[in-house]
Amino acid sequence: MATLSSLLLTALLWVPVGTLTCYGDSGQPVDWFVVYKLPAHTGSGDATQNGLRYKYFDEHSEDWSDGVGFINSTTGAVGRSLLPLYRNNNSQLAFVLYNDQPPKSSESKDSSSRGHTKGVLLLDQEGGFWLIHSVPNFPPRASSAVYSWPPGAQKYGQTLICVSFPLTQFLDISKQLTYTYPLVYDHRLEGDFAQKFPYLEEVVKGHHVRQGPWNSSVTLTSKKGATFQSFAKFGNFGDDLYSGWLAEALGSTLQVQFWQRSSGILPSNCSGAQHVFDVTQTAFPGPAGPAFNATEDHSKWCVTPKGPWACVGDMNRNQREEHRGGGTLCAQMLWKAFKPLVKAWEPCEKKSRAYSLGSPAGLWT
């Protein structure tokens, strides 16, 4: 019986060799998916599983669904997609892991001058995926040989978006990273990969764009032809990503969810033709919700109230991040997922809120 169980588990976690793509909760390849890790208080049952539940949405979805298992498991979309990174035969892959709050290690790197940006590039000779997320200390280095979820990221909400791209699109993606100026904490970029992606090699070396304009927007096309718009800014841009650029670029008012337990939070902004409102409460549809406040949510996303755009990224709205790199990934097919989630937002006449950086929550960004 034990042998049969082992075989079933192996079959469940099997990922075809040479198929480097995002994998959905179904266990099958998908063009893209979004995962919304729920805050800890929204769960019930076993306390050890609290803060590990998530909602899931992909190209086949009409509405959010409960995640398969828990976010720390390789049976779900995030863990399964990252499995190739932790295999012994990953020498044929190129990867770049970046995070302004990297996994704990003996290495001490000052990330304050780097972009406020978190993500994974994982590719082979045919293509791969870009995972953009809000999770501190994630994912583990490839040398750990195992996927895991950081315990410190269980309490608050988090968002992750994975998009499968053909190899050619990583030229534009890598150039976008020269604007966001990420802190790379693990990578493999050897042989042909270094030659094909010179911008990515510059990013790994810690280099960034040297002259203006200090922001860049590019259209990216997924493996199945879905269109995404990537927005990236360098610190010299000197303005808020959302009110200083994105609202005008999308031609619409924005409702923005971001981490609101830090100093210098920017209030809702109605000074321009397109307004930017800070989301204060999120609620998933249905009687079971769940609903939670922005102070319990470390995710970073925005939506145009009347359509047709929604974006998932890694930047907050605060004074410090006006002068740091970062960005967001937008698509029209994400709108139906995020529009119903906005339950409340801050009107423009309300004064800016302030949270002390001296509090434990203030240590997160």
Side-chain angles (χ1 to χ4, degrees):
M1 186 67 180
T3 302
L4 179 59
S5 298
S6 299
L7 289 172
L8 288 173
L9 181 61
T10 300
L12 182 64
L13 298 182
W14 179 71
V15 177
V17 176
T19 309
L20 197 52
T21 180
C22 303
Y23 275 79
D25 263 7
S26 65
Q28 299 301 311
V30 294
D31 198 40
W32 57 268
F33 71 73
V34 181
V35 160
Y36 206 130
K37 206 283 295 180
L38 301 172
H41 91 277
T42 61
S44 60
D46 190 342
T48 62
Q49 298 168 349
N50 204 11
L52 296 174
R53 294 174 174 83
Y54 65 93
K55 294 286 188 177
Y56 175 83
F57 197 100
D58 67 21
E59 75 243 42
H60 306 297
S61 303
E62 290 299 323
D63 200 353
W64 293 92
S65 59
D66 291 335
V68 173
F70 301 99
I71 195 73
N72 63 344
S73 168
T74 52
T75 60
V78 177
R80 186 187 298 269
S81 297
L82 289 174
L83 269 180
L85 187 63
Y86 303 108
R87 287 178 167 164
N88 292 330
N89 63 348
N90 68 7
S91 60
Q92 302 302 312
L93 307 179
F95 62 84
V96 176
L97 312 183
Y98 59 93
N99 198 316
D100 56 286
Q101 294 177 281
K104 299 294 188 291
S105 74
S106 57
E107 299 178 22
S108 178
K109 294 182 179 180
D110 179 17
S111 66
S112 61
S113 64
R114 296 300 188 97
H116 189 278
T117 183
K118 302 172 174 70
V120 174
L121 296 184
L122 185 58
L123 56 153
D124 60 18
Q125 295 294 345
E126 296 183 1
F129 64 79
W130 189 12
L131 177 71
I132 300 169
H133 65 87
S134 65
V135 189
N137 315 133
F138 178 84
R141 290 171 173 81
S143 59
S144 71
V146 62
Y147 169 80
S148 63
W149 185 264
Q154 288 186 214
K155 184 175 182 179
Y156 300 109
Q158 308 286 351
T159 41
L160 308 93
I161 181 170
C162 183
V163 183
S164 306
F165 288 110
L167 192 65
T168 54
Q169 291 295 274
F170 287 92
L171 290 168
D172 286 333
I173 292 171
S174 59
K175 189 172 183 180
Q176 289 295 85
L177 296 187
T178 66
Y179 287 84
T180 60
Y181 192 29
L183 176 61
V184 175
Y185 64 91
D186 197 10
H187 73 278
R188 176 180 289 121
L189 192 66
E190 300 171 349
D192 290 346
F193 290 112
Q195 296 175 12
K196 289 179 179 178
F197 303 106
Y199 284 119
L200 201 53
E201 188 172 26
E202 292 299 303
V203 168
V204 166
K205 291 177 179 178
H207 299 166
H208 56 75
V209 63
R210 292 293 182 181
Q211 61 184 21
W214 302 111
N215 58 331
S216 172
S217 173
V218 298
T219 300
L220 301 172
T221 304
S222 71
K223 284 185 177 180
K224 292 186 178 179
T227 300
F228 292 82
Q229 198 72 22
S230 169
F231 293 86
K233 77 177 185 77
F234 185 58
N236 287 12
F237 182 71
D239 204 347
D240 175 47
L241 172 68
Y242 305 96
S243 61
W245 180 24
L246 190 60
E248 181 181 356
L250 297 181
S252 176
T253 287
L254 295 178
Q255 294 169 324
V256 186
Q257 158 56 40
F258 62 97
W259 181 238
Q260 298 187 25
R261 288 179 176 265
S262 61
S263 63
I265 293 295
L266 299 176
S268 294
N269 188 329
C270 294
S271 62
Q274 310 299 340
H275 299 171
V276 174
F277 296 106
D278 295 352
V279 171
T280 57
Q281 191 172 39
T282 295
F284 281 83
F292 42 89
N293 295 325
T295 51
E296 303 168 90
D297 195 356
H298 193 251
S299 68
K300 295 102 170 57
W301 54 269
C302 67
V303 64
T304 57
K306 296 182 179 180
W309 293 96
C311 312
V312 181
D314 45 33
M315 290 218 82
N316 300 303
R317 298 196 68 238
N318 63 47
Q319 293 172 1
R320 288 183 181 179
E321 291 180 41
E322 290 183 323
H323 304 282
R324 294 181 70 177
T328 193
L329 190 64
C330 304
Q332 295 187 5
M333 61 274 194
L334 298 177
W335 185 79
K336 66 178 180 180
F338 284 94
K339 173 58 179 75
L341 301 190
V342 179
K343 185 175 182 180
W345 61 92
E346 176 192 82
C348 280
E349 61 268 19
K350 189 173 181 178
K351 299 297 183 182
S352 176
R353 294 143 294 150
Y355 293 91
S356 171
L357 278 176
S359 67
L363 298 177
W364 276 38
T365 61

